[in-house]
Amino acid sequence: MPEPVAPPPPVAVDDGKVRVALLVPLSGRGAAIGQSMLDAAQLAVFDVADGQFLLLPRDTGGTPSGAEAAARDAVTAGARLILGPLFSADAAAVRTVAAPAGVPVLSFSSDRTVAGGGVWVLGFQPQEQVARVVGFAASRGITSFGLLAPATPSGEVVQQSLIDAARQAGGTVTRIERYGADQQDLTEMVRRFAQHQAMPAPATAEPGAAATGLPFQAVMLADGGGQLRTLATLLPFFDVDPGPVRFLGIGQWEEPGLGREASLVGGWFAAPPPEARQAFERRYEETYGQKPQRLATLAYDATALAAALVRSGDREALRPEMLTDPQGFLGADGLFRLLPDGLTERGLAVLEVTRAGFATVDPAPQTFPPRTDPAAGQVPVF
């Protein structure tokens, strides 16, 4: 980690406005996502903010050095809160400037290793997604799980999350195969996965699960895009059929047209509830004439959260104890709350793949269970 760098003193501007910086890549790596995030943030300003709120967009260039320079400029301009940056290395660089200045950072990264020390990660966490869909599967009598995951850090996270979630639900992971992220031929790997000593399924399992002759009742496919479709095609070829065996997924499954892959129809995965996001997407498309990038909702919700707190009239509303309201907030990605350790907890739905899209089979919660700290008030909606 780089050493913290003392930021320059902020410029004294006595105009009554509360400044919030948005650090996104508007050039270089991730520029398309960054522009969509900026558009979403500006939409949130229009929807939620009042005259006290001033958004300060800054280009990070998609690099740690660019993010650090953007953060320094934002702090100098008097920013009370930093939204972004997008990448984990950039977030670590921003902390070296923001932490000494006492400026909280709501980054758009999903990397838990950068959480804490005044930095929150708003990105979607595979750990939460795995725990949610495994818990739902267990409620339907599924207690034995297999896993196909890429040999990447994210694949390792899903593997450990599946083991933990299965144990928590009273089940077990009976079969794991990993493959190269760019592996062209997955046939032999799937063959090994399917040819494994059988074990009976419990009588409480879903109909048909006990008749598979396989050591698992459900298989988690921790991938998306072409690799996911290849796996879904190969598994039935080796008698891992999606009827008696339930296919499970993570957030990468949330892509248009997934139901055109017949083997994935009926599969379950956890994701933010789609209804609120669809409303956001309609507003965005009406305003800008194009569809938003998937991560644009993070920028919308972060900006709307900041604007809603500022609108309360408290000039110190952006301090950490207000950002971590245990009741949480309801935004374009559903219910979420910032935790004291720098992580974000989300209320996720369980979706089922259909030929026409996705259907909700278990709705997202509307409230969070109490934390150990006292909670008061209602969940703010923006």
Side-chain angles (χ1 to χ4, degrees), residues 12 53 91 127 152 221 239 259 278 318 333 353 377:
F53 185 89
Q127 294 92 334
T152 61
L221 308 178
D239 298 324
Q278 289 165 0
L318 299 180
D333 277 316
V353 180

Side-chain angles (χ1 to χ4, degrees), residues 120 305 309 319-329 337-343 371 373-374:
W120 280 263
L305 164 59
L309 291 175
R319 59 190 184 275
E321 54 266 35
M322 298 296 289
L323 294 170
T324 55
D325 184 337
Q327 290 292 314
F329 308 91
R337 65 179 173 185
L338 308 181
L339 304 179
D341 60 3
L343 298 178
R371 294 205 317 248
D373 50 333

